[in-house]
Amino acid sequence: MAATEGGWAVGGRQTGRPTLEEVAARAGVGRGTVSRVINGSSRVSEQAKEAVDRAVAELGYVPNRAARALAGSRTDAVALVVPETEARLFAEPYFLDIIRGVSAELAASDKQLLLTLIRTEQERQRFEQYLAAQRVDGVLLVSVHRDDPLPDQVRALGLPVVLNGRRSPREPVAYVDSDNVGAGRSAVDHLAGRGRRRIATITGPLDMDAAEGRLAGYREGLAAAGLPEDERLVATGDFTEDGGRRAMRELLERRPDLDAVFAASDLMAVGALAVLRARGLEVPGDVALVGVDDSPVARHLDPPLTTVRQPIERMGRTMAGLLLRQIAGEDAEPSRLVLPTELVVRQSS
């Protein structure tokens, strides 16, 4: 390899600047090793790292992505923030479908996706410092709660941000949501239409607008069917299977004569079904059951679960699309999109 006026010559081929392959050849390692070193991976031996660093310095190699960032003040990276534990992230199909949608939309762009879990206040502060260093071009936030300050903090740093769901009806930040009120209403309309009269609900955490919306829809459905509201038929869950179990036990203690349950997520419906079976109650014979999400678990339950389908993957794609437009400077005002839901009737109701 030799330097020429026009650039680097390798095997008789002249290039405008050194490539990843040329760095690998100079360092005596594979292309993948060079990539891992440049991206800061810990899965590289110290000897290999030193060889790559030396080759990079000797050749004056600058990664394409870094060069574009220097030229355009862009990092070519987008952060997807999920304020949950790893266990919940991988246990809940909702999050995986959002990630799938976001990834699909970003695949056509030159943006890397950085998945960030925030579980503690210390991790939140560390992430804020990361954002302040301008290491990403924009942020996508999933599973936001009413008092979550992070969306406003991101905006204060001048970074584009899009939420999956809003914190309140007065949300000032761009968001993509599903019709949560319509989901609750259609579930109760269906149950009442099947002759159910003592319809209970297991809500999500009520500091989340999605849970509030589904509860409001439940109440609208009761009113439309001429059924009275009874707070003994309302129990608070947390969108998890264990939360569904706890809430179902609570409901049966208060109203053992209930004949239907609208669970505000499929996972809570799974927990409710387990409790109903343990009490010797048949679904749907004794108690009809409806969930929300239309996750794979809904189709594989016994009996298969009637549920309100959210376009989860589409929400992820739409969020990413809005963020890319913000990054490109195409959206002057925050976009607020609400996607429709659809009742999917199966054997549980």
Side-chain angles (χ1 to χ4, degrees):
M1 182 186 298
T4 72
E5 284 189 9
W8 291 91
V10 182
R13 175 176 59 84
Q14 187 167 312
T15 64
R17 68 180 193 181
T19 66
L20 198 70
E21 288 78 8
E22 291 160 6
V23 173
R26 171 65 67 94
V29 299
R31 187 180 187 279
T33 299
V34 175
S35 179
R36 285 193 290 274
V37 171
I38 289 171
N39 288 300
S41 172
S42 60
R43 297 186 297 112
V44 183
S45 70
E46 191 60 34
Q47 182 179 1
K49 182 178 183 302
E50 289 175 0
V52 171
D53 288 343
R54 186 165 54 250
V56 166
E58 291 171 356
L59 297 178
Y61 174 78
V62 178
N64 287 342
R65 188 172 296 278
R68 286 198 301 272
L70 290 171
S73 298
R74 294 279 174 82
T75 67
D76 289 336
V78 167
L80 174 60
V81 181
V82 183
E84 303 290 352
T85 63
E86 295 96 330
R88 187 164 180 187
L89 174 69
F90 293 108
E92 296 197 21
Y94 181 91
F95 295 126
L96 300 181
D97 284 345
I98 286 288
I99 293 169
R100 188 177 296 113
V102 169
S103 299
E105 188 67 20
L106 293 181
S109 72
D110 60 355
K111 302 296 181 189
Q112 292 187 14
L113 178 61
L114 305 178
L115 178 61
T116 303
L117 304 184
I118 295 181
R119 295 147 294 192
T120 66
E121 182 58 31
Q122 182 180 17
E123 288 179 341
R124 178 185 296 279
Q125 291 173 3
R126 190 158 55 237
F127 181 65
E128 290 170 11
Q129 293 168 358
Y130 185 84
L131 294 181
Q134 299 293 316
R135 293 180 178 176
V136 298
D137 293 332
V139 178
L140 300 167
L141 289 171
V142 180
S143 191
V144 290
H145 294 253
R146 185 180 299 127
D147 60 353
D148 192 340
L150 190 55
D152 300 317
Q153 292 164 346
V154 175
R155 281 211 314 168
L157 291 169
L159 286 171
V161 57
V162 178
L163 310 184
N164 173 222
R166 61 189 188 182
R167 289 170 293 177
S168 76
R170 299 172 300 283
E171 179 61 69
V173 176
Y175 65 82
V176 178
D177 206 349
S178 63
D179 182 5
N180 292 300
V181 175
R185 187 170 55 240
S186 63
V188 176
D189 287 347
H190 169 72
L191 291 167
R194 293 290 176 93
R196 306 293 173 158
R197 290 295 176 263
R198 297 175 298 281
I199 304 171
T201 187
I202 299 174
T203 78
L206 294 178
D207 66 341
M208 297 184 71
D209 188 76
E212 286 275 17
R214 291 170 200 177
L215 177 58
Y218 161 82
R219 288 176 169 146
E220 287 186 11
L222 292 180
L227 299 175
E229 288 189 30
D230 182 347
E231 289 305 310
R232 294 176 298 167
L233 290 171
V234 178
T236 304
D238 59 4
F239 288 143
T240 69
E241 183 176 342
D242 284 344
R245 289 175 186 268
R246 290 192 298 269
M248 191 70 248
R249 293 189 193 102
E250 185 180 329
L251 288 170
L252 288 172
E253 288 171 7
R254 296 181 193 164
R255 286 295 304 265
D257 61 338
L258 60 84
D259 62 5
V261 177
F262 164 54
S265 77
D266 287 348
L267 279 182
M268 292 196 299
V270 171
L273 178 61
V275 171
L276 290 168
R277 281 200 170 139
R279 299 289 179 92
L281 296 168
E282 294 185 1
V283 174
D286 298 313
V287 179
L289 184 61
V290 176
V292 178
D293 286 335
D294 194 28
S295 60
V297 70
R299 296 186 288 276
H300 297 122
L301 274 185
D302 180 21
L305 182 67
T306 294
T307 184
V308 182
R309 178 182 294 151
Q310 290 195 91
I312 303 173
E313 190 168 332
R314 181 182 165 198
M315 283 196 287
R317 294 190 70 120
T318 305
M319 289 168 60
L322 288 181
L323 190 69
L324 290 174
R325 286 198 289 277
Q326 283 191 40
I327 292 169
E330 297 173 6
D331 282 352
E333 296 295 328
S335 298
R336 299 173 179 91
L337 300 179
V338 178
L339 304 183
T341 56
E342 175 190 0
L343 183 72
V344 180
V345 179
R346 298 193 179 98
Q347 285 72 44
S348 71
S349 62

